[in-house]
Amino acid sequence: MPDDTEKNPGAADVVTYERVGAVARVTLNRPDYRNAQNSAMTYALDAAFRRAADDDEVHALVLAGAGKHFSAGHDIGTPERDAHLSFPRKAGLWWDHVGKEGADARYARESEVYLGMCRRWRELPKPVVCAVQGACVAGGLMLAWVCDLIVASEDAFFADPVVRMGIPGVEYFAHPWVMGPRIAKEFLYTGERMSARRAYEIGMVNRVVPRADLAAEADTLAARIAGMPRFGLALTKRAVNQAEDLMGLHNGLDSVFGLHHVAHAHNAETGADSLGGMDARGMRDAARRAAGPAAEAPEGA
């Protein structure tokens, strides 16, 4: 690719943006917390996608995660968890969650930062290649699934363990579409990790490469895509997304989002909190018990 790199300033940015030629590389940048997604990261990611959409020189993107893991999911326990703060809403017209109580607050926030943002990003009219290494867990799945292609390293693994919280999967409930109903049920019922190789076998991942080759493979694939006509790519992406919605994805997401919030409300009514008492440590310990003492379970959910 041509050497016309553009970078945004600030090494401490929770999302970084770089353009090389016709490819924009967007990187989740909280490696100390396995790229757990707080609201600051969510809105920084949205700004990066908006920047790429507005740049006529960008024909394709790569979404990556800094460090050992792509993303351990939503931030449910780091020192920078910011679920109590307001941010300028971008995904819809629902009211702000701050100052509300109970299901009113949870539904408002998750409609915006989880389901709403994922739907918004899926409609980015430029192809996105996701580069996944290490953990791609729960909310990490949501980021990978809204991308058009997924390249995984051999050490990557995928999991949605939130049934341990009494919750029927993450907010962007694309499981039956990206892996098929029976595999989705096994994936959710057990909470087990799915290897990159297995994800490739079921068609959830496009390519599996050695860890050392991940960035180059994703960049090369994105650059090859970027050589196609920009408008043609946008129309093709819209065509496939529309076909997927005709298969029920859009309505399915709405229906399961309601079930998701029934589960949150039930947990809050009958237990300690809306997460069924399962904080980041609890989820990690449960994953270790299920997988055996050698397992390293990432934080986040």
Side-chain angles (χ1 to χ4, degrees):
M1 287 182 287
D3 187 15
D4 57 349
T5 302
E6 296 178 1
K7 296 184 179 181
N8 62 338
D13 289 347
V14 294
V15 171
T16 64
Y17 184 100
E18 177 182 11
R19 183 172 72 80
V20 180
V23 175
R25 171 173 276 266
V26 178
T27 305
L28 311 177
N29 192 35
R30 298 184 75 207
D32 291 345
Y33 301 114
R34 299 177 173 93
N35 293 319
Q37 304 158 36
N38 59 6
S39 293
M41 174 180 279
T42 297
Y43 286 96
L45 183 58
D46 185 73
F49 285 154
R50 177 80 265 175
R51 179 177 176 181
D54 288 341
D55 187 346
D56 287 343
E57 298 301 315
V58 171
H59 286 207
L61 295 83
V62 172
L63 176 63
K68 186 176 179 180
H69 298 285
F70 172 69
S71 177
H74 297 143
D75 187 344
I76 62 172
T78 81
E80 297 166 9
R81 187 171 188 242
D82 52 11
H84 61 294
L85 299 178
S86 293
F87 287 80
R89 294 181 301 286
K90 301 290 186 181
L93 295 175
W94 207 275
W95 49 74
D96 191 6
H97 68 287
V98 174
K100 313 302 187 296
E101 296 181 352
D104 189 352
R106 286 190 298 273
Y107 193 91
R109 181 171 186 269
E110 295 192 1
S111 294
E112 166 73 11
V113 299
Y114 297 157
L115 179 58
M117 281 295 193
C118 283
R119 278 182 161 161
R120 174 176 164 88
W121 298 336
R122 177 175 176 258
E123 295 302 315
L124 174 68
K126 297 178 181 182
V128 185
V129 176
C130 187
V132 175
Q133 80 281 8
C136 183
V137 175
L141 294 170
M142 294 166 52
L143 294 187
W145 287 347
V146 300
C147 297
D148 300 286
L149 305 178
I150 301 175
V151 179
S153 64
E154 293 171 340
D155 68 334
F157 62 90
F158 305 84
D160 187 356
V162 302
V163 176
R164 292 193 183 102
M165 297 175 170
I167 297 172
V170 290
E171 295 83 358
Y172 186 83
F173 192 85
H175 309 62
W177 288 268
V178 299
M179 62 180 69
R182 294 193 185 280
I183 295 173
K185 288 177 180 178
E186 179 183 3
F187 187 68
L188 289 162
Y189 292 170
T190 66
E192 292 176 352
R193 296 176 176 183
M194 179 183 289
S195 69
R197 183 56 56 186
R198 177 61 172 155
Y200 174 79
E201 290 170 354
I202 66 170
M204 192 175 80
V205 163
N206 297 86
R207 301 182 184 185
V208 178
V209 298
R211 176 69 181 86
D213 298 338
L214 178 63
E217 183 74 13
D219 289 345
T220 299
L221 181 57
R224 180 174 181 180
I225 293 168
M228 302 291 275
R230 182 170 56 85
F231 189 51
L233 289 171
L235 293 178
T236 303
K237 179 168 182 172
R238 176 59 62 89
V240 176
N241 281 1
Q242 286 178 338
E244 195 174 26
D245 285 338
L246 289 170
M247 297 175 194
L249 175 61
H250 191 279
N251 289 338
L253 292 173
D254 281 337
S255 63
V256 180
F257 190 65
L259 297 176
H260 183 95
H261 281 275
V262 168
H264 273 318
H266 176 75
N267 285 342
E269 185 176 346
T270 62
D273 56 46
S274 65
L275 300 180
M278 296 292 285
D279 59 10
R281 182 180 295 276
M283 291 292 285
R284 182 189 63 204
D285 292 345
R288 285 177 173 167
R289 287 194 299 271
E296 178 195 355
E299 297 175 2

